[in-house]
Amino acid sequence: LEAALDVRQRRPAVGSKLVDAAGVAGTALLVLVLVVTSSIGDAVRAAVERLAGRLGVTLPDLGLDVGSRAIQAAVVVGVVVALYRFVPARRLPSRDILVGALVTSVLLFAISVSSSLLYGGASDLSVVYGSLTAVFTFLYAVYLSACALLLGAALAASLSLPEPPPGPPLRTQ
């Protein structure tokens, strides 16, 4: 990440390890919060569906999936912004960080959708080939996610560069 952001002066080793420890603690807290809120949301949804079933009422699609996807997207953007802001020793403007985080989030969403399509197609295969396809799809999705993270960081770093001086006219170029 520091190479993608073109960091010239690194943090001292102790400071770097403290940032790593804070990142691990923050990730653990985020996973815990996501698991708890997801479980609570599933329990509330099941209770409302049971209550509606007893009353003989059919519930319209309330857009809960869209709302949960929007919350997930906001969390992804927030996590990527935090990564770009606190992990490298170089400070970037907030606008550039946000643009890089949004690009990264869109790429991660595309990777997630395409991976789920591949997983769905792999379920029709035999046990051996389906399992192998799932493993390779997972590994490739992890690789592409890392590339998306680095691409967003490189974009944020390039946006933060000063405006170059004007060059020769386009016809002479």
Side-chain angles (χ1 to χ4, degrees):
L1 192 58
E2 286 188 342
L5 290 171
D6 195 29
V7 174
R8 305 226 187 261
Q9 183 177 358
R10 296 182 179 225
R11 282 191 184 97
V14 173
S16 181
K17 290 303 173 188
L18 288 175
V19 169
D20 291 346
V24 169
T27 302
L29 181 66
L30 180 66
V31 168
L32 182 65
V33 166
L34 288 175
V35 166
V36 168
T37 56
S38 176
S39 299
I40 290 172
D42 289 344
V44 167
R45 181 182 295 178
V48 168
E49 288 174 353
R50 277 195 310 268
L51 180 63
R54 287 186 201 152
L55 297 175
V57 177
T58 58
L59 293 177
D61 185 20
L62 301 175
L64 296 176
D65 290 335
V66 173
S68 68
R69 294 288 184 198
I71 291 171
Q72 290 172 355
V75 167
V76 168
V77 169
V79 167
V80 173
V81 164
L83 279 174
Y84 292 167
R85 180 57 133 196
F86 297 114
V87 171
R90 178 181 176 199
R91 291 281 183 194
L92 297 175
S94 297
R95 177 186 58 94
D96 299 337
I97 289 175
L98 186 60
V99 169
L102 287 173
V103 168
T104 300
S105 300
V106 168
L107 290 173
L108 290 175
F109 178 73
I111 292 166
S112 172
V113 168
S114 61
S115 296
S116 66
L117 290 174
L118 281 174
Y119 282 130
S123 64
D124 296 337
L125 301 174
S126 68
V127 175
V128 173
Y129 292 119
S131 301
L132 285 174
T133 303
V135 168
F136 289 130
T137 301
F138 170 74
L139 292 174
Y140 196 56
V142 168
Y143 169 73
L144 289 177
S145 299
C147 289
L149 187 70
L150 294 177
L151 180 68
L155 177 67
S158 67
L159 289 174
S160 69
L161 294 175
E163 191 70 29
L170 186 60
R171 287 184 181 247
T172 55
Q173 289 181 12

